[in-house]
Amino acid sequence: MKFKFTFFLILMSFVHIYSQMTIKGVVKDENKLPVSFATAALISAVDSTLVKGSLTDDNGAYIIENVAPGIYKVMASYLGYDNVFSDAFELKPENRGATIDINFLQK
């Protein structure tokens, strides 16, 4: 009985670690220059709810960690620009994550 319980705990920890993924990318302006401190928001493609968010660093890079499998879009926003959405993409349990780069259009 003790062996079964221990095996179950180990199995569940692998399932939890395996199901969490990372989304990363770079936000750039219309001149392909990185946009520092823009907002990168992970949006559910099913119902448009906010799932998680992040700010870009000095190089325009963002990381959104611990994302469950699902269908998402990334929305980038920054003062002076219209919000920009990525195409919808699906994170599956067999994936480790996704790289989604976003370019703002001209102001």
Side-chain angles (χ1 to χ4, degrees), residues 9-81:
L9 286 177
I10 292 171
L11 180 64
M12 291 309 294
S13 66
F14 281 118
V15 169
H16 177 72
I17 291 170
Y18 187 65
S19 67
Q20 300 300 308
M21 293 165 263
T22 300
I23 298 172
K24 62 183 179 177
V26 177
V27 177
K28 297 180 181 179
D29 67 11
E30 67 275 5
N31 297 316
K32 306 293 186 212
L33 298 172
V35 179
S36 302
F37 308 109
T39 301
L42 184 64
I43 307 291
S44 169
V46 176
D47 59 9
S48 299
T49 58
L50 174 66
V51 177
K52 292 184 176 229
S54 176
L55 287 178
T56 61
D57 62 15
D58 290 335
N59 300 314
Y62 69 91
I63 298 174
I64 302 172
E65 298 178 309
N66 299 319
V67 179
I71 301 173
Y72 301 104
K73 292 182 181 183
V74 174
M75 178 188 75
S77 60
Y78 190 73
L79 188 63
Y81 290 92

